[in-house]
């Protein structure tokens, strides 16, 4: 006799499916389109079932934001390695921009300041892990004398802020999507010029 869907949920599948469905709804309808009751209907469980994993909508939004940072971190870690810091930064920049433009609603939620205090530890850990690869890249480049001295996390934050700005412009239509790659290359070149040590 095949396992029923609800039995599989007892092994932890429901939370993952709810988050996956919530991310799809977020992409299609925004934050206002999300509700635990609708998610329950979408995945075919009782309306009370999601509350075993998320006590309310805010808890769901917090979990989505944490998941977003985890996905971003995994994408940055998997970005192709290059022999030069410039090549690696360009790969990470492209990876970040692609993630940001393909997940604009999720990214907006990730960087919203409306997360509940209950999520602060998980959120901090997810953010640290998300940006671990760019920070490590800066540290290594500084050790080789390829990047100016300074606190690596702050340097990485400056780079991410530039990319976030470009992603916001593309997502809002201020910059056409087809122009993003060319602008990204120019911005990365300007950033690398600014990060080189002064002789």
């Amino acid at each position: 006799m095949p396992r029923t869907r609800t039995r599989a949920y007892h092994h932890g599948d429901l939370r993952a499916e709810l988050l996956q469905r919530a991310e799809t709804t977020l992409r299609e309808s925004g934050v206002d389109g999300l509700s635990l009751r609708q998610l329950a209907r979408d995945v075919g469980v009782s309306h009370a079932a999601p509350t075993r994993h998320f006590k309310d909508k805010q808890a769901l939004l917090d979990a989505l934001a944490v998941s977003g940072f985890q996905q971003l971190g995994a994408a940055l870690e998997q970005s192709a390695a290059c022999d030069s810091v410039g090549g690696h930064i360009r790969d990470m920049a492209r990876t970040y921009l692609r993630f940001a433009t393909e997940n604009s609603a999720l990214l907006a939620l990730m960087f919203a300041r409306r997360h509940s205090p209950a999520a602060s530890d998980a959120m901090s850990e997810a953010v640290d892990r998300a940006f671990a690869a760019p920070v490590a890249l800066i540290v290594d480049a500084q050790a080789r004398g390829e990047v100016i001295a300074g606190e690596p996390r702050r340097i990485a934050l400056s780079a991410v802020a530039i990319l976030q700005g470009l992603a916001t412009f593309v997502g809002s239509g201020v910059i056409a999507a087809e122009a993003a790659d060319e602008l990204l290359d120019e911005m990365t070149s300007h950033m690398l010029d600014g990060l080189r040590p002064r002789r």
Side-chain angles (χ1 to χ4, degrees):
M1 182 176 181
R3 279 188 170 185
T4 64
R5 199 164 152 183
T6 51
R7 182 172 300 192
Y9 290 152
H10 290 300
H11 296 281
D13 295 339
L14 179 58
R15 186 179 192 278
E17 184 163 355
L18 288 169
L19 280 175
Q20 184 177 18
R21 180 60 198 162
E23 193 173 319
T24 300
T25 302
L26 179 68
R27 186 177 291 112
E28 294 171 350
S29 309
V31 171
D32 291 340
L34 281 171
S35 78
L36 293 177
R37 188 174 289 271
Q38 183 60 50
L39 282 178
R41 283 194 289 268
D42 290 344
V43 300
V45 295
S46 72
H47 68 85
T51 60
R52 297 187 197 119
H53 301 280
F54 311 108
K55 68 175 185 175
D56 54 23
K57 182 176 177 177
Q58 184 59 55
L60 172 66
L61 296 177
D62 292 340
L64 272 173
V66 168
S67 174
F69 280 115
Q70 291 168 342
Q71 292 175 55
L72 175 60
L76 291 175
E77 286 173 10
Q78 292 172 9
S79 61
C82 292
D83 294 333
S84 67
V85 63
H88 206 154
I89 285 178
R90 287 178 196 280
D91 283 344
M92 282 195 174
R94 288 189 191 97
T95 298
Y96 187 94
L97 183 63
R98 184 169 56 250
F99 179 90
T101 52
E102 291 176 357
N103 302 279
S104 56
L106 179 60
L107 200 76
L109 177 63
M110 289 160 58
F111 287 98
R113 294 304 304 163
R114 296 174 300 200
H115 306 303
S116 68
S120 59
D121 289 344
M123 196 74 66
S124 294
E125 181 181 345
V127 170
D128 287 344
R129 291 184 66 184
F131 297 114
V135 171
L137 175 62
I138 297 298
V139 170
D140 291 344
Q142 286 175 325
R144 294 192 301 269
E146 296 175 354
V147 166
I148 57 174
E151 207 285 304
R153 187 175 171 86
R154 293 177 73 90
I155 293 173
L157 181 62
S158 297
V160 169
I162 292 169
L163 295 170
Q164 181 75 2
L166 177 58
T168 300
F169 283 163
V170 172
S172 64
V174 172
I175 293 174
E178 54 270 20
D181 284 342
E182 184 179 350
L183 276 170
L184 179 64
D185 284 340
E186 290 180 12
M187 290 172 66
T188 306
S189 295
H190 294 323
M191 181 172 59
L192 289 169
D193 286 343
L195 290 177
R196 286 195 182 95
R198 281 46 166 179
R199 303 299 181 190

